[in-house]
Amino acid sequence: MQFMLLFSRQGKLRLQKWYVPLSDKEKKKITRELVQTVLARKPKMCSFLEWRDLKVVYKRYASLYFCCAIEEQDNELITLEIIHRYVELLDKYFGSVCELDIIFNFEKAYFILDEFLLGGEAQETSKKNVLKAIEQADLLQENIDFQMRLFAGVMVPNMASESSGLFQN
Amino acid sequence: MPAVSKGDGMRGLAVFISDIRNCKSKEAEIKRINKELANIRSKFKGDKALDGYSKKKYVCKLLFIFLLGHDIDFGHMEAVNLLSSNKYTEKQIGYLFISVLVNSNSDLIRLINNGIKNDLASRNPTFMNLALHCIANVGSREMAEAFASDIPRILVAGDTMDSVKQSAALCLLRLNRTSPDLVPMGEWTARVVHLLNDQHLGVVTAATSLITTLAQKSPDDFKTSISLAVARLSRIVTSASIDLQDYTYYFVAAPWLSVKLLRLLQCYPPPEDAALRSRLTECLETILNKAQEPPKSKKVQHSNAKNAVLFEAISLIIHHDSEPTLLVRACNQLGQFLQHRETNLRYLALESMCTLASSEFSHEAVKTHIDTVINALKTERDVSVRQRAVDLLYAMCDRSNAKQIVAEMLSYLETADYSIREEIVLKVAILAEKYAVDYTWYVDTILNLIRIAGDHVSEEVWYRVIQIVINRDDVQGYAAKTVFEALQAPACHENLVKVGGYILGEFGNLIAGDSRSSPLVQFNLLHSKFHLCSVPTRALLLSAYIKFINLFPEVKATIQDVLRSDSQLRNADVELQQRAVEYLRLSCIASTDILATVLEEMPPFPERESSILAKLKRKKGPGNRPDIDDPRRNVNGNTEHSDNKIEATNKGSPPSFTDLLNLNSTPPAGANLLVDVFSDNSALAATDVSEENFSRFVCKNNGVIFENQLLQIGLKSEYRQSLGRIYVFYGNKTSTQFLSFSSTVTSPDTLENQLTAHAKTVDPVIEGGAQVQQIINIECVSDFTDAPVLDIQFRYGGTLQNIAVKLPVMLNKFFQPTEMASQDFFQRWKQLGAPQQEVQKIFKANHPMDTDVTKAKILGFGIALLDQVDPNPENFVAAGVIHTKNTQVGCLLRLEPNAQAQMYRLTLRTSRESVSQRLCDLLSDQF
């Protein structure tokens, strides 16, 4: 896999992971192009498209698009399930995950992704093992820091789409 | 697990994120961000030392701002500091910041590497994983240099935790992709292969990817992985779904691992060992059988995972291309998918079948699905699926079904998306030519193409039809008749006028016997289109007219009148005017015999590769489907191999692509337009080292070092003591992408120990008209005379371009100027009096002798010009020190111009003979 992008229906980038060296300028250009292309596609269309010399595999969960760029020989369907497994991991970790969780805890979204995929390849496909690794890390810090309530006092504006669970579409 | 109990709540961060989200406008957001950046900057700069928590919080805010799409130019140091924190979350945020934001040429890379080194040595698996993830995420050369030898050790050590092994394997994979030269093969490779046997399926999953990558590079070293992979695969496909516990995904046993194992096996030909081979065949059969079983779950995840394995198995079957039964079974399976209700499966089935069509064993089986595929072309709602259907029709086409397929494609063309029309046009043109039994069908098809999609018919297509008509006399009469009829249409495409003009000009006589298409009628018909056409087409028509004068003396007067009219003879376009003048003259003065010789029918073209085919290949780009003209994929190779072969042949014989392709849009002057069409172009395979601009860089650091029709290379360089940095700018002068662009620095043998030059990698794609930058870091170890060479390779269109340019890195670049008084100078001059320390050269001036220019050159040479040292004010005296890593060499210089004789005498004294000699050689060339 060359890169993975998460973006909202409004085209806002929520997470970007690059497994090939590219300049910031090139990354921005790719992102702009791809977000436009994917958002322009209609719901029943197929989840794969040829783009430049890559294949793009995408899937929409509630308000979020998950989009992976893979190479010619890579397997489209298994990539689709990589996306799904990642959503499952997020869902399990955050407890029915929604876009807001990813906005406010973007660093966690990255940590979970690193445990699951590394260098663009599946590292650990067992949900249990990935979550165990993340929990152990959380445990490490809980011994040190006091917990603080993430959302305490800063309730976010009401944006129905972003707070709807990714699995409840 | 509710979100609020998770992690290291950073309240400040959450407040900030909310603020940003509350911003009503882009301006408000930028304002809020700038406020925050100012705040963070002052905190980082403040006297009060920040505690780890605050540092982490601010670094995290910076990260958030960056991810919003804003530039961040500080905070890197603080992030690096976090790496050495012993608090896990702080370390983790530090690593995240570095992974996302630090690019490979950061100055901090040494500090970062240090942090990573400590964590790798910590033996704490969580910390080790963080460090490995960071290396895998950044993947820079510097990191490869620092860790490429440690990671294999961690990977195969007996006491490494499973999770660390997994990270280490993929970390190594990433380094091997970015800097394969730095990952050493060694005794660890054998042990890595045995990870395929590991108890822990996660370890196997990660290791399989690594082994696949390594096996692609050096298949022989990893041959032992075949039997292990087959054994592992066999255990997975025969296991009950619960056996693999959490590695079972929606009732499918370890789908990711299965796919990876099947992919690994595609690096090799079918196993030679019969037992192994039959075990693999059994596996593949089991996978095919499972596809027929009723689904164990209605969830799409179940079918996706199951089919992912199935498609990968089919890929392996196609790759082996040796088991007819498996190939036919695969084809039947795909046939079922062609009518599946899932669009995704229909898409993949069409795609996969395309490769099956090129196997001799399954070609016939694929052909049985023609009606389904044609139906897909007509009914699929998604253009990307229709595109696949077009590809498959193209791949399954042969003599038996060509007429049907071409007809279907033509009718699809009428409604096809604009984005894919040109490709369809090319495909139709190729199929029509390739499978034409009767060439009247071919001519009809191409004229239809022009009628339906004239704008998308590229020049190659109409050139080709002319080529073929000229080469086959059995079709010339029909072609003339058909274009004549087609031109009767009140509105016809300009491409048709071109083809019509050319063909009637050559073969109009074949239909002139019929009074309905008498010479005058033909001429009037063509000329009725003349005024609506563009300049190149008019130029072509003028050539057709002069050919008419030769073919039909009876219309000579009419045509001469036309040529003589003001709108021709005084045409504002020089090309048209010239043709009109020359053709008119030619028709007046030349005898019939001479006219007949000059305007003789075109000779047949030598048979070459179809220019259309070449165009389609270029369109499809490198590494694409091998369906173009490769009737069968070579058995053991992936498509890359065959591509390389094509490149190799192209490099040797550039004209093979050039027959009709490289026509300028305005044809050159003269009566030979009809010949010009086929003029060749300049071949661009320059592999000799270009050094024409080398000496221009002796006294300057910036400028253009190389330029040809495709590429411009500019340099900016800066030097400090023994270090240098060159910014190389590659400008793509064409409007087409350069692909697989790479540029490396190589040094001749002796130079290798004297000068280190290290080039950063560049983006493999340079868009048309774009410029990319590459940084080359240089260190001068000791004095040297040779220069490193920049080797550039890229693919432009279908051909691989090689360019080598001598990099202007000369010894004088490492000069530091030294000011000194007259007395000091002469004292040192005397000290360096030994004969081997002085080098002198007397030479003729190649440029006008101008004092200011000379001064500028000496200063540009990098040395300090000393005033009032030499008693003769005409002379120039200068001093400097050459800095190399090992040593410093003082250098004194004296240049004595003799204006009368137009000569110079240059004297150099340094403590080292080789330095004196080299500097003298470099500088004496400049005057």
Side-chain angles (χ1 to χ4, degrees), chain B residues 485-594:
Chain B
E485 277 162 11
L487 281 169
Q488 309 277 348
C492 51
H493 196 272
E494 196 169 326
N495 279 336
L496 181 66
V497 179
K498 290 178 187 165
V499 175
Y502 203 123
I503 288 184
L504 292 180
E506 293 290 324
F507 310 113
N509 55 328
L510 299 177
I511 54 167
D514 188 325
S515 62
R516 285 165 300 177
S517 51
S518 70
L520 191 62
V521 176
Q522 287 186 38
F523 171 72
N524 285 337
L525 181 60
L526 279 182
H527 199 53
S528 69
K529 315 284 180 193
F530 187 90
H531 300 283
L532 298 169
C533 291
S534 63
V535 170
T537 307
R538 288 192 203 184
L540 185 148
L541 285 177
L542 288 178
S543 298
Y545 297 170
I546 186 75
K547 289 231 158 190
F548 268 25
I549 290 183
N550 175 44
L551 289 179
F552 317 118
E554 62 264 44
V555 294
K556 182 170 171 181
T558 318
I559 292 176
Q560 280 177 332
D561 283 344
V562 167
L563 292 175
R564 207 175 283 124
S565 72
D566 277 357
S567 62
Q568 306 296 353
L569 276 190
R570 300 186 180 195
N571 196 296
D573 186 89
V574 182
E575 177 63 36
L576 293 180
Q577 193 185 92
Q578 189 174 359
R579 283 186 191 222
V581 171
E582 289 177 1
Y583 292 165
L584 182 60
R585 254 342 257 159
L586 181 69
S587 70
C588 293
I589 59 170
S591 69
T592 343
D593 285 352
I594 293 178

Side-chain angles (χ1 to χ4, degrees), chain A residues 81 88 124 126 141 162, chain B residues 21 89 246-247 249-250 344:
Chain A
E81 292 320 296
E88 282 184 353
E124 178 54 86
S126 150
Q141 78 201 13
E162 294 176 351
Chain B
R21 291 170 50 76
T89 52
D246 211 32
Y247 290 92
Y249 179 82
Y250 292 86
N344 287 346

Side-chain angles (χ1 to χ4, degrees), chain A residues 1 12-14 16-29 41 44-50 52-53 55 59 61 71-82 84-85 88 92-95 100-101 103-108 110-111 114-129 131 135-138 140-142 144-145 147-157 159 162, chain B residues 1-11 13-15 17-18 21-22 29 53 56 60 63-64 66-67 69-71 86-89 92-93 96 99-100 126-127 129 132-133 136-137 163 166-167 170-171 173-174 177-178 200 202 205-206 209 246-247 249-250 255-256 259-260 263 300-301 304-305 307-309 311-312 343-345 347-348 351 381-385 387-388 622-625 640 737 739 761 763 767:
Chain A
M1 186 185 298
K12 289 224 179 213
L13 192 59
R14 296 303 184 204
Q16 45 176 314
K17 190 82 191 175
W18 304 85
Y19 297 109
V20 284
L22 291 170
S23 69
D24 285 345
K25 205 172 134 204
E26 183 70 6
K27 286 179 188 171
K28 279 187 186 165
K29 194 175 156 214
R41 289 178 63 87
K44 288 287 169 194
M45 282 187 164
C46 103
S47 312
F48 319 125
L49 53 124
E50 281 191 326
R52 297 194 185 178
D53 53 350
K55 299 192 286 196
K59 186 160 180 180
Y61 288 86
E71 280 150 64
E72 172 67 27
Q73 329 79 334
D74 290 339
N75 188 308
E76 290 98 338
L77 284 174
I78 207 71
T79 309
L80 211 47
E81 292 320 296
I82 280 190
H84 188 77
R85 171 104 309 173
E88 282 184 353
K92 191 89 182 164
Y93 181 78
F94 287 109
L100 281 180
D101 291 319
I103 297 172
F104 279 90
N105 305 283
F106 66 94
E107 77 283 11
K108 291 289 178 202
Y110 277 95
F111 297 148
D114 271 353
E115 291 292 337
F116 174 42
L117 290 182
L118 196 61
E121 304 286 341
Q123 171 176 216
E124 178 54 86
T125 60
S126 150
K127 197 153 68 173
K128 248 187 238 157
N129 289 353
L131 290 171
E135 274 162 31
Q136 270 171 357
D138 281 342
L140 264 176
Q141 78 201 13
E142 279 168 27
I144 302 158
D145 292 341
Q147 283 181 37
M148 299 188 191
R149 280 182 66 85
L150 182 55
F151 288 116
V154 279
M155 216 30 238
V156 280
M159 289 189 71
E162 294 176 351
Chain B
M1 274 186 261
V4 284
S5 77
K6 279 295 157 199
D8 47 329
M10 285 177 276
R11 200 181 132 84
L13 175 66
V15 172
I17 296 176
S18 300
R21 291 170 50 76
N22 283 333
E29 182 184 310
Y53 170 79
K56 176 183 79 174
C60 218
L63 191 54
F64 181 77
F66 176 79
L67 291 171
H70 302 269
D71 293 331
N86 50 13
K87 291 191 186 166
Y88 178 73
T89 52
Q92 198 183 23
I93 294 292
L96 179 61
S99 300
V100 174
T126 325
F127 287 5
N129 272 340
L132 289 168
H133 291 177
N137 282 328
S163 66
Q166 286 165 276
S167 302
L170 292 176
C171 187
L173 170 142
R174 174 70 197 268
R177 274 188 192 153
T178 45
H200 190 284
T205 305
S209 291
D246 211 32
Y247 290 92
Y249 179 82
Y250 292 86
W256 282 280
V259 167
K260 285 182 182 196
R263 181 96 192 75
V300 68
Q301 283 75 30
N304 278 350
N307 292 328
V309 178
F311 274 102
E312 205 60 53
T343 314
N344 287 346
L345 286 179
Y347 176 96
L348 294 175
E351 191 186 38
R381 270 184 280 171
D382 184 345
V383 53
S384 38
V385 185
Q387 169 79 60
R388 290 285 82 85
N624 243 312
R625 257 163 228 59
E640 256 170 65
Q737 278 185 336
L739 296 170
T761 47
D763 194 330
E767 298 293 342

Side-chain angles (χ1 to χ4, degrees), chain B residues 350 373 376-377 384-394 409:
Chain B
L350 288 166
V373 183
L377 193 60
S384 38
V385 185
R386 289 197 300 270
Q387 169 79 60
R388 290 285 82 85
V390 171
D391 287 349
L392 178 53
L393 283 178
Y394 179 76
M409 281 176 139

